[in-house]
Amino acid sequence: MHGSSDWPHCSFLELAGLATAVPCGRLHTKHVLREWQLDHLIDDAETLVSELLTNAVKASWSPQGAGLIALRLLADRERLLIEVWDQSPADPQPREAHDESESGRGFTVIDAISHRWGFRRTSHSQKVVWCELLTRGQALNVLEDYHP
């Protein structure tokens, strides 16, 4: 993965690992993608952010309470990268959900919607789960044209 300085568009949001983090992350994503003129990606990106943040909230909870999680959005002319940090030493475990299950479909959804996804460890107790959407070259020069 690239550092954020390699991307013309970057947004970072740190949240407490509470259930309210999911709608906050969705709304943040919606507004940021509108600003970046990537409206055509909003629905898919909101779904992916929702799945990733839901997993991060669950993974970051401990008997001491909610941990910190973070959402980073990176975009260029070719792709939107969604990254979510959590506070868990466990690797993501995609699983098959039964028809009557109310959970367990997150990675199936992520795999179906995103171009690709994966994860990387930043430390023993922290990881970043990421996924990518292709922008089809439609990211506009919102920030590149600005020269202070």
Side-chain angles (χ1 to χ4, degrees):
M1 292 292 139
H2 303 283
S4 61
S5 63
D6 296 336
W7 296 81
H9 305 289
C10 179
S11 176
F12 185 82
L13 180 64
E14 192 172 67
L15 299 158
L18 301 169
T20 54
V22 177
C24 288
R26 287 176 62 98
L27 186 61
H28 178 78
T29 299
K30 178 189 226 174
H31 289 295
V32 167
L33 294 186
R34 276 194 183 137
E35 184 176 309
W36 294 348
Q37 298 179 7
L38 292 171
D39 301 60
H40 64 287
L41 297 179
I42 289 174
D43 290 341
D44 286 347
E46 281 187 304
T47 300
L48 292 167
V49 164
S50 185
E51 295 296 339
L52 291 173
L53 285 176
T54 297
N55 289 343
V57 167
K58 290 176 184 174
S60 296
W61 194 90
S62 74
Q64 291 79 33
L68 285 177
I69 60 175
L71 167 66
R72 183 164 74 165
L73 304 172
L74 301 162
D76 62 17
R77 289 186 173 275
E78 298 169 4
R79 62 198 179 279
L80 169 67
L81 182 63
I82 301 167
E83 297 179 319
V84 173
W85 278 257
D86 69 40
Q87 304 270 330
S88 173
D91 291 346
Q93 297 294 320
R95 58 189 163 117
E96 252 184 74
H98 300 289
D99 290 342
E100 60 278 349
S101 295
E102 291 186 22
S103 64
R105 292 182 179 80
F107 286 109
T108 302
V109 171
I110 292 166
D111 194 50
I113 295 175
S114 68
H115 173 64
R116 60 188 183 134
W117 73 273
F119 76 96
R120 69 181 185 280
R121 290 233 149 260
T122 57
S123 71
H124 167 71
S125 62
Q126 189 177 49
K127 69 177 172 293
V128 180
V129 182
W130 60 269
C131 63
E132 181 181 85
L133 289 172
L134 299 180
T135 62
R136 297 183 299 276
Q138 295 178 16
L140 301 179
N141 295 328
V142 175
L143 298 178
E144 291 116 6
D145 289 342
Y146 178 71
H147 302 289

